[in-house]
Amino acid sequence: MTGPGGRSSRTVWSHTFSDAMVMTRRNLLHYVRVPSLVIFSTITPVMFVVLFGFVFGGAIPIPGIKYLDYLMPGIFVQTVAFGSIQTGIGLAEDQQRGIIDRLRSLPMARSAVLAGRTLSDCLRNLLVVVLMTVVGLLIGFRFHARPSAILGGLALVVLFAFAFSFISAAIGLSLDTVEAAQSAGFVWVFPLTFASSAFVPVLTMPGWLQAFAKVNPVTITVDAVRLLFQGQAAGTQVVRSVAWMALILVVFVPLSVWRYRRA
Amino acid sequence: MRAVIEVEALRKSYGKVRALEGVDLTVPEGTVLGLLGPNGAGKTTIVRILTTLLEPDSGRATVAGLDVVDDARALRGVIGLAGQFAAVDETLTGRENLVLVGRLYHLDRAESRRRAEEVLARFDLLDAADRRVAGYSGGMRRRLDLGASLVGRPRVLFLDEPTSGLDPRSRIGLWELIGQLVKDGTTLLLTTQYLEEADRLADSIAVIDNGRVIAQGTAGELKARVGGERLDVMVAPASDVMAGAAALAPMAGGDLHVDPAEGRISLALPGGPPTVAEAVRRLDAAGVAIADLSVHRPTLDDVFLALTGRVSEDVG
């Protein structure tokens, strides 16, 4: 019998890949069909860059660096961190509408829904990061590094977004409604992004907050990206940042898959 | 006939709530089993276990010979599921929804498109095929949802309350479509709160209450247990009630009640509605005038009353 039980491992892999692509395409179609999704997921980052740049730009002197150059990596990371909430909302919405039930009753790869969601969100983040870079350059932000370091920094931002989207996925699949996923997102993203070196140096914070801010993956990633954009030696920070992302993925990928199976 | 769905001693609890307390079911190939019961009876839990969305705590269940736990992935390749809520993507068009499902059954692009076209034609959705589902009516969404469950040409189809929340016209339309599917030989398990729906679509009905099968049989057998149709007659003047009762007694099979104050006679109709004419002739011959007459069909409430001695709480 040539049923699904008798498939070769090569067929299984090609199905796993094609299922993930089919789901990615479906999610991207949403962005094409619902212009408000595209507009708000691009206007907000542009607004962040412009407003934070002008509002804080003149107010916070940081020795040895132009504040806009200091701020921009922080804005990039903060924006994709908030953007990762969207992953959980998308999954909660599919669950609320019964779409996850239907998908789970199909002979498709069980990883495909998560892979499709995080991949399409990754592509959206790539677009957002490019857009923020262009707007940042327009208002006076400058790179002081070789192209390879710049690309490395941008890649780190996108990788960070990918890791964070799995935290969001695990939360979104554990909650019943879109509204809950939305509120829950802010609860964990807000403290992480603000109690970090995204906007001000950690040394200006009270001691207890410094202790948190110093180990915060947002601080570590922002510092790594900042050093890369400034053309300085970033090796240690990059390794620490990548280690954090690996840790997040090791914990939250299995957790999201487990939540998906129980959904 | 070979059994396509076999369920043995199935149990499932959610925390302290016992949803299924030992369910046994058998569905022969090419037949329709209706699971009838109020909300919370355990119908949906049974469907979720049989479609691999939920793992049972204990017991065994197979669909087309495949175990719901051990062979889950292969099992998903031979079933179709349409749920209580139309699980279609509102942002995509009807056609895109169907092609998406086809692709996830691992059909190639051309075959997915061909099947989508087939389903759209069959379910009268060709005109709306390239419009976004957000603009569809409730009935159209249900048809699309049902269509999506057929893209993979399943051997066994599961429909969880396929017509709940639909207006009567859409409901009858959907019944016709389901009826055609069944004629083509698809084995179907459907859950419903409506006796009429089970009666119309199912070869066999299992009545579920508190996580147990409390009765199983054909619609006719169940109705016989409920007592079948009843005839209610009001006579005028009310004082003629005894004369009327005497005239009707021979056809009631011993099941006849009289309410002298109201002038009402209530009797069983073992021969069903066709025997109403006989009742009218009998009353006419006895010179008893009829003020009002109605045939009362057994409802889910009657089934529950007869089987459990209580009225189901969720069905009005």
Side-chain angles (χ1 to χ4, degrees):
Chain A
M1 184 179 146
T2 52
R7 291 179 312 191
S8 67
S9 64
R10 201 176 141 188
T11 321
V12 171
W13 277 109
S14 92
H15 282 170
T16 304
F17 179 76
S18 97
D19 291 346
M21 288 304 109
V22 168
M23 290 310 297
T24 306
R25 187 172 172 275
R26 174 252 177 180
N27 295 332
L28 291 176
L29 261 180
H30 277 230
Y31 285 106
V32 179
R33 292 289 159 73
V34 188
S36 65
L37 276 178
V38 183
I39 290 168
F40 286 110
S41 63
T42 51
I43 277 193
T44 317
V46 168
M47 232 162 57
F48 273 149
V49 171
V50 173
L51 283 177
F52 278 79
F54 285 122
V55 172
F56 293 159
I60 307 175
I62 292 172
I65 185 169
K66 197 169 69 168
Y67 185 66
L68 206 56
D69 290 350
Y70 179 89
L71 177 70
M72 213 46 69
I75 299 283
F76 283 15
V77 173
Q78 182 221 28
T79 305
V80 297
F82 275 101
S84 74
I85 298 173
Q86 207 56 47
T87 304
I89 294 175
L91 288 167
E93 191 175 4
D94 282 349
Q95 192 164 356
Q96 199 175 347
R97 298 212 168 140
I99 290 174
I100 299 255
D101 273 357
R102 152 142 295 142
L103 295 172
R104 285 177 63 222
S105 78
L106 297 177
M108 63 188 284
R110 293 222 151 174
S111 58
V113 172
L114 280 166
R117 175 61 63 184
T118 46
L119 273 176
S120 56
D121 286 345
C122 206
L123 287 173
R124 188 200 62 207
N125 279 318
L126 198 63
L127 174 79
V128 164
V129 167
V130 168
L131 190 76
M132 286 192 297
T133 307
V134 171
V135 175
L137 290 172
L138 284 176
I139 66 166
F141 162 71
R142 289 293 174 267
F143 294 110
H144 304 279
R146 284 176 295 122
S148 60
I150 297 170
L151 286 178
L154 295 175
L156 204 58
V157 175
V158 174
L159 183 65
F160 172 86
F162 184 69
F164 261 47
S165 67
F166 273 97
I167 304 180
S168 177
I171 294 172
L173 285 171
S174 307
L175 298 169
D176 297 330
T177 65
V178 173
E179 291 75 14
Q182 190 134 27
S183 317
F186 278 91
V187 171
W188 65 273
V189 173
F190 215 81
L192 279 175
T193 51
F194 280 86
S196 78
S197 66
F199 307 109
V200 293
V202 171
L203 291 173
T204 60
M205 300 173 192
W208 60 270
L209 196 55
Q210 276 192 34
F212 173 79
K214 275 181 185 159
V215 295
N216 182 346
V218 175
T219 299
I220 291 166
T221 305
V222 169
D223 288 352
V225 175
R226 202 173 270 148
L227 292 170
L228 284 168
F229 286 177
Q230 290 300 309
Q232 295 171 18
T236 318
Q237 287 304 87
V238 171
V239 168
R240 288 178 68 200
S241 168
V242 172
W244 248 120
M245 293 170 204
L247 181 69
I248 290 173
L249 289 173
V250 163
V251 173
F252 285 94
V253 170
L255 195 62
S256 330
V257 172
W258 179 70
R259 288 309 315 174
Y260 175 73
R261 282 164 182 260
R262 314 261 132 187
Chain B
M1 236 183 298
R2 221 157 61 85
V4 170
I5 302 175
E6 286 184 289
V7 176
E8 274 173 40
L10 209 58
R11 286 172 188 277
K12 177 75 194 176
S13 298
Y14 302 104
K16 279 186 179 167
V17 182
R18 281 185 285 184
L20 298 182
E21 303 203 59
V23 168
D24 300 281
L25 290 170
T26 307
V27 186
E29 179 137 42
T31 68
V32 181
L33 175 70
L35 296 182
L36 182 68
N39 285 331
K43 305 184 301 283
T44 297
T45 303
I46 295 172
V47 170
R48 289 180 71 85
I49 290 174
L50 289 175
T51 53
T52 78
L53 299 184
L54 200 65
E55 284 190 11
D57 295 339
S58 67
R60 216 175 74 88
T62 60
V63 176
L66 300 163
D67 188 272
V68 292
V69 180
D70 299 334
D71 313 313
R73 186 152 174 172
L75 193 160
R76 290 194 283 270
V78 300
I79 61 164
L81 167 69
Q84 283 184 42
F85 308 101
V88 284
D89 190 330
E90 293 201 342
T91 311
L92 304 185
T93 67
R95 191 191 303 276
E96 284 167 343
N97 265 288
L98 297 173
V99 172
L100 176 81
V101 171
R103 297 289 287 147
L104 295 173
Y105 271 104
H106 306 128
L107 305 172
D108 64 33
R109 238 179 232 110
E111 180 64 11
S112 299
R113 288 214 188 96
R114 224 166 49 75
R115 299 250 185 124
E117 189 76 16
E118 216 174 87
V119 167
L120 289 165
R122 176 171 208 172
F123 288 72
D124 194 22
L125 287 167
L126 274 177
D127 291 341
D130 297 309
R131 292 209 322 256
R132 277 197 233 161
V133 174
Y136 281 24
S137 70
M140 288 163 77
R141 278 177 205 221
R142 283 301 173 90
R143 296 210 302 273
L144 183 65
D145 188 45
L146 182 59
S149 71
L150 296 173
V151 169
R153 301 217 177 114
R155 273 182 68 193
V156 188
L157 185 61
F158 294 89
L159 301 178
D160 192 8
E161 303 202 0
T163 66
S164 67
L166 285 185
D167 61 78
R169 216 178 59 134
S170 306
R171 173 170 297 160
I172 290 166
L174 212 59
W175 282 350
E176 275 166 13
L177 287 170
I178 296 169
Q180 283 167 21
L181 291 176
V182 170
K183 264 197 214 136
D184 297 349
T186 309
T187 305
L188 169 65
L189 185 145
L190 117 144
T191 76
T192 181
Q193 297 188 35
Y194 309 111
L195 186 61
E196 194 189 352
E197 185 162 294
D199 191 358
R200 173 140 182 186
L201 296 173
D203 300 308
S204 174
I205 298 171
V207 182
I208 313 282
D209 186 40
N210 288 328
R212 284 199 175 85
V213 178
I214 57 169
Q216 188 166 4
T218 64
E221 286 164 358
L222 284 177
K223 275 190 197 162
R225 289 180 69 166
V226 181
E229 284 93 352
R230 295 190 72 82
L231 179 67
D232 281 312
V233 185
M234 292 265 277
V235 298
S239 54
D240 281 354
V241 74
M242 285 332 230
L248 293 173
M251 59 178 291
D255 183 356
L256 181 145
H257 303 285
V258 176
D259 180 347
E262 297 253 347
R264 184 195 302 275
I265 308 163
S266 164
L267 65 148
L269 270 188
T275 52
V276 171
E278 188 192 337
V280 174
R281 277 197 299 273
R282 281 170 178 274
L283 289 170
D284 197 38
V288 177
I290 300 170
D292 191 20
L293 178 147
S294 62
V295 177
H296 173 61
R297 288 167 182 276
T299 63
L300 180 57
D301 279 345
D302 297 323
V303 173
F304 267 79
L305 197 60
L307 293 172
T308 67
R310 63 182 171 79
V311 175
S312 72
E313 284 126 40
D314 296 299
V315 180

